[in-house]
């Protein structure tokens, strides 16, 4: 009956589910690291950490969540990925490392 009442088109008012427990927000080590890096280094800190420590989708999500200027976010993330790709490819070329040597 509650589900029928909640999704009924005839009822105009919203039905709220009473909450008996209040959950505390649990901060993990990863959450603390993200908050500290955001406060300390800002958008460029998130952009620099995105390709290496964070994944690109997670870094993009965080940057879009915390910063509203889409052009600046897009530029900083693209620039960061570009710089990391140059750095990694230069390191491979300088040290003569083959990235997929186990496939040969």
């Amino acid at each position: 009956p509650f589900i029928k009442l909640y999704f009924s088109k005839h009822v105009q008012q919203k039905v709220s589910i009473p909450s008996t427990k209040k959950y505390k927000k649990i901060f993990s080590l990863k959450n603390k690291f993200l908050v500290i890096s955001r406060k300390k280094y800002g958008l460029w800190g998130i952009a620099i950490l995105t390709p290496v420590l964070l994944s690109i989708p997670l870094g993009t999500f965080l940057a879009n969540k915390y910063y509203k200027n889409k052009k600046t976010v897009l530029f900083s993330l693209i620039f960061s990925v570009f710089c990391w790709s140059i750095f990694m490819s230069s390191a491979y070329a300088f040290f003569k490392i083959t990235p997929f040597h186990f496939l040969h």
Side-chain angles (χ1 to χ4, degrees):
F2 176 76
I3 295 171
K4 202 177 220 183
L5 179 68
Y6 186 76
F7 290 107
S8 175
K9 293 182 180 179
H10 302 290
V11 178
Q12 295 296 323
Q13 62 184 357
K14 285 191 174 184
V15 178
S16 63
I17 301 171
S19 169
T20 57
K21 294 182 180 179
K22 294 203 174 199
Y23 295 101
K24 282 187 171 183
K25 197 170 198 179
I26 300 172
F27 287 104
S28 65
L29 187 61
K30 185 177 180 180
N31 288 347
K32 288 179 184 179
F33 174 73
L34 291 174
V35 169
I36 288 170
S37 64
R38 178 183 164 246
K39 285 183 179 181
K40 202 171 192 179
Y41 303 111
L43 175 62
W44 285 103
I46 291 176
I48 290 171
L49 294 175
T50 293
V52 181
L53 295 178
L54 307 172
S55 64
I56 291 177
L58 178 64
T60 306
F61 174 74
L62 289 173
N64 278 330
K65 180 180 176 186
Y66 293 127
Y67 301 100
K68 298 301 178 194
N69 190 353
K70 304 291 184 193
K71 289 181 181 180
T72 307
V73 169
L74 182 65
F75 172 74
S76 62
L77 290 173
I78 288 173
F79 185 74
S80 174
V81 169
F82 181 72
C83 288
W84 274 109
S85 64
I86 289 174
F87 174 73
M88 295 301 280
S89 61
S90 299
Y92 282 130
F94 182 72
F95 293 115
K96 305 221 187 300
I97 299 172
T98 56
F100 299 107
H101 68 279
F102 57 89
L103 294 177
H104 292 90

